[in-house]
Amino acid sequence: KQEVTQIPAALSVPEGENLVLNCSFTDSAIYNLQWFRQDPGKGLTSLLLIQSSQREQTSGRLNASLDKSSGRSTLYIAASQPGDSATYLCAVDFGNEKLTFGTGTRLTIIP
Amino acid sequence: EAGVAQSPRYKIIEKRQSVAFWCNPISGHATLYWYQQILGQGPKLLIQFQNNGVVDDSQLPKDRFSAERLKGVDSTLKIQPAKLEDSAVYLCASSLQGLREETQYFGPGTRLLVL
């Protein structure tokens, strides 16, 4: 069964620190992987998309890496800010042209 | 550019009642998705439309759920009759052509509570 796992479910970090969010997936034959952000009462916002042939993608303070052989992706957030507080979701296209989402990590940045 | 619009934002119904949700995608977006997000879980795709045709409805419980996109623009998702386990947030998303590399833009969702 193709599954996406995100641990921990919740994370609290003091403002200004760098942090890493984890995502693991069961099948290494993926097409692409995306990281989304979800704010309370709002929909999802796409942050970064990594194709299966890529190792990482960067956007501002965000850097996402992909290691297909180990079935893992990480989202690195540099110099965290209170506005980064949200739930971060990892989603994988396992080649079936649909996104399978993890359960997310709820991030709280402590001012 | 206006985002994806959804209504209502909240709905409370009793089990066995029916309910309908509406979605207006971003103008010009050919592909529209409906997702179900149960509390504590990630979104699950229910149905994907390309213009007014269904691309994937493999995870739609067709005995009680139905969806349509008659003119290839707005879409409605209906549940009849509702069950307790249908309590969830229903998210609508759209993308320009439905290509796998494209960004999906999500609406704010409709939060459904079935009592």
Side-chain angles (χ1 to χ4, degrees):
Chain A
K1 183 179 179 182
Q2 295 167 332
E3 294 182 337
V4 179
T5 303
Q6 293 184 251
I7 296 173
L11 180 66
S12 294
V13 174
E15 179 179 1
E17 288 196 359
N18 304 324
L19 63 101
V20 174
L21 304 178
N22 297 302
C23 172
S24 61
F25 44 93
T26 53
D27 187 347
S28 63
I30 69 171
Y31 186 85
N32 62 37
L33 181 147
Q34 293 189 59
W35 282 93
F36 290 85
R37 167 185 175 138
Q38 186 170 30
D39 293 280
K42 298 185 179 181
L44 281 66
T45 301
S46 179
L47 298 174
L48 290 165
L49 183 151
I50 309 177
Q51 300 292 350
S52 62
S53 59
Q54 297 175 320
R55 294 298 302 268
E56 65 178 336
Q57 281 284 351
T58 298
S59 175
R61 294 183 295 109
L62 306 180
N63 176 278
S65 69
L66 175 64
D67 183 345
K68 288 194 303 179
S69 61
S70 65
R72 295 182 61 186
S73 175
T74 61
L75 179 67
Y76 174 85
I77 302 178
S80 59
Q81 303 172 359
D84 295 330
S85 296
T87 295
Y88 290 81
L89 293 157
C90 172
V92 176
D93 180 340
F94 285 107
N96 56 1
E97 301 189 58
K98 68 179 69 172
L99 295 178
T100 299
F101 283 83
T103 53
T105 295
R106 186 173 69 252
L107 176 65
T108 302
I109 304 301
I110 304 166
Chain B
E1 176 181 82
V4 177
Q6 291 188 246
S7 67
R9 293 295 311 275
Y10 305 92
K11 191 73 177 179
I12 301 175
I13 62 172
E14 295 187 350
K15 60 183 179 182
R16 291 188 288 274
Q17 287 187 325
S18 61
V19 64
F21 312 129
W22 174 82
C23 173
N24 182 236
I26 293 174
S27 178
H29 280 196
T31 309
L32 185 147
Y33 312 80
W34 282 103
Y35 289 87
Q36 179 193 58
Q37 186 175 22
I38 294 172
L39 185 65
Q41 299 182 19
K44 181 183 80 172
L45 180 68
L46 293 176
I47 189 167
Q48 177 182 344
F49 291 95
Q50 184 72 15
N51 296 307
N52 60 351
V54 175
V55 173
D56 184 348
D57 63 356
S58 58
Q59 299 187 99
L60 186 73
K62 299 182 185 64
D63 58 334
R64 298 183 300 105
F65 286 64
S66 64
E68 60 183 13
R69 192 184 184 199
L70 292 177
K71 297 184 178 179
V73 181
D74 294 5
S75 177
T76 56
L77 176 69
K78 297 179 181 178
I79 307 175
Q80 181 180 12
K83 293 185 175 181
L84 297 178
E85 58 262 36
D86 298 332
S87 295
V89 176
Y90 291 84
L91 295 164
C92 179
S94 70
S95 65
L96 189 60
Q97 298 179 45
L99 300 177
R100 295 156 88 175
E101 298 79 10
E102 286 179 350
T103 297
Q104 293 185 27
Y105 295 87
F106 284 78
T110 295
R111 185 175 300 273
L112 173 68
L113 179 61
V114 182
L115 302 176

